[in-house]
Amino acid sequence: MKSTSRISSLILLFMLSLATHNCIGMDYKEEEDHSITEEKRVQVGDINIAYRVLGQGDPIVLIMGYSSTMDMWDPRFLDNLSSNYRVIIFDNRGMGNTTAPPGNFSIAQFANDTVGLMAALGIEKAHILGWSMGSFVAQELAIRYPERVDKIILYAADCGGKEAVMPSPQVLKNLSDTSGTPEEIGMRQFNLLFPKDWLSKQPPFYKWFPLPKETPLPENIQRQTQAIATWPGTCDRLGSIKSPALVVTGAEDVIAPPENAFILAQRIKASWLVQFEEAGHGLMYQYPDRLAKIVEDFIELS
């Protein structure tokens, strides 16, 4: 049941993408493009990866979550981070404009793709930041390629397997509820992505939530779903992570409950744990400036 629960919970980001894309106009895209550089593509093994590079300095590679594209990174977060670092964002295998040949996906394969992208860009070693499913990839990368990882940031993460703390039954029920109009679905999911009290005080979400420019193919989403379901997790391997780790969680994250962050921080030898009060799974969109500052402080001081 836990594998099924994990899949159900991660469907959130895809539903958000569809819901917001259907209920919002395209005006906001023009406002957010100030922080996005030209998209480029590079051959990495059997795929062609779409990516962007922002800023200059030490490289930090950002790995996106389930069924989402690099357009979903908060532009304010990117602006802050790229003021001091060379930030690389990209579409995972089969997402956005990154290609994917036939065959199964796996979390380990996503880690291989990320290292391949780094090699193609001439990056020997980088800081790695993974959000949600991207944190699974980041963990595998740090374990399999320790020489390629400087410092690692795990945001809204868990270590998978039987030890991961899953969402409550009510949250899972709400996540799987596809009834109503796209607007109703979108608002229902946003109430899970963000704390209700915080969301009630904000302007309409479409004024600040980034929109995906490309909708992933359903078959590729299914392959990504299967990759998550078959991932054995890292709970029994976290001790082998040699890189200093920053574990970031929202105190009110109902998708990846904050108990998971404590498991990660306890088992990774050199780790910081930061918990944002009044924050949910989408804390990057709630507190982009604070999150970027904490990431920078961790990189500079740990």
Side-chain angles (χ1 to χ4, degrees):
M1 289 297 295
K2 287 199 173 184
S3 293
T4 302
S5 297
R6 175 179 297 282
I7 295 170
S8 298
S9 66
L10 287 168
I11 287 172
L12 169 67
L13 291 180
F14 177 56
M15 294 180 69
L16 281 170
S17 298
L18 293 182
T20 54
H21 193 273
N22 279 299
C23 68
I24 311 172
M26 305 303 285
D27 292 342
Y28 179 62
K29 276 191 174 182
E30 296 181 359
E31 296 177 6
E32 73 171 27
D33 281 348
H34 70 279
S35 66
I36 301 299
T37 58
E38 178 186 0
E39 178 180 298
K40 298 180 180 180
R41 302 185 189 185
V42 64
Q43 190 70 31
V44 175
D46 60 348
I47 62 174
N48 198 272
I49 294 182
Y51 71 96
R52 294 189 179 101
V53 179
L54 301 85
Q56 297 180 346
D58 292 339
I60 177 169
V61 178
L62 276 55
I63 309 176
M64 178 46 72
Y66 174 75
S67 77
S68 297
T69 71
M70 58 181 160
D71 298 325
M72 300 300 289
W73 291 110
D74 186 278
R76 299 163 298 175
F77 176 64
L78 295 178
D79 280 346
N80 277 277
L81 212 55
S82 62
S83 65
N84 294 306
Y85 300 97
R86 179 187 178 195
V87 179
I88 296 93
I89 59 176
F90 67 101
D91 290 332
N92 284 311
R93 175 180 292 255
M95 298 294 116
N97 288 319
T98 293
T99 61
N104 295 330
F105 290 174
S106 73
I107 299 299
Q109 184 181 51
F110 298 152
N112 294 341
D113 293 340
T114 306
V115 169
L117 174 61
M118 291 170 58
L121 298 181
I123 300 172
E124 293 185 6
K125 195 172 189 177
H127 308 300
I128 306 294
L129 185 153
W131 176 31
S132 198
M133 186 207 76
S135 75
F136 306 164
V137 181
Q139 291 170 60
E140 287 290 346
L141 198 160
I143 292 170
R144 293 168 179 267
Y145 301 97
E147 74 283 358
R148 308 305 296 269
V149 180
D150 194 340
K151 296 175 183 177
I152 182 172
I153 300 95
L154 305 175
Y155 156 37
D158 67 63
C159 62
K162 296 180 179 180
E163 298 183 58
V165 178
M166 303 309 298
S168 71
Q170 185 59 51
V171 168
L172 291 174
K173 179 180 178 181
N174 292 340
L175 283 168
S176 61
D177 184 359
T178 58
S179 63
T181 65
E183 291 86 351
E184 291 170 336
I185 294 172
M187 286 309 302
R188 189 161 57 241
Q189 302 304 325
F190 267 81
N191 282 325
L192 295 173
L193 191 64
F194 304 107
K196 292 182 180 180
D197 288 345
W198 180 88
L199 191 60
S200 68
K201 301 173 185 176
Q202 306 307 311
F205 63 81
Y206 57 81
K207 291 186 178 181
W208 48 264
F209 197 83
L211 297 175
K213 295 181 176 65
E214 301 291 337
T215 301
L217 295 174
E219 55 266 33
N220 288 338
I221 294 171
Q222 179 57 39
R223 288 198 280 174
Q224 202 174 75
T225 299
Q226 188 62 25
I228 295 166
T230 57
W231 183 52
T234 61
C235 293
D236 60 349
R237 296 182 287 150
L238 290 173
S240 66
I241 293 180
K242 297 180 174 59
S243 303
L246 168 64
V247 183
V248 179
T249 184
E252 299 183 46
D253 190 340
V254 297
I255 307 302
E259 293 90 337
N260 290 295
F262 288 86
I263 294 172
L264 288 162
Q266 288 170 353
R267 299 192 182 188
I268 298 175
K269 295 175 182 177
S271 62
W272 289 24
L273 173 60
V274 175
Q275 180 171 268
F276 280 69
E277 298 299 323
E278 299 183 359
H281 202 69
L283 71 85
M284 168 177 63
Y285 306 107
Q286 295 179 259
Y287 308 111
D289 299 346
R290 286 173 54 190
L291 179 59
K293 181 63 166 59
I294 286 171
V295 170
E296 291 176 16
D297 286 347
F298 164 71
I299 290 174
E300 296 301 321
L301 300 175
S302 64

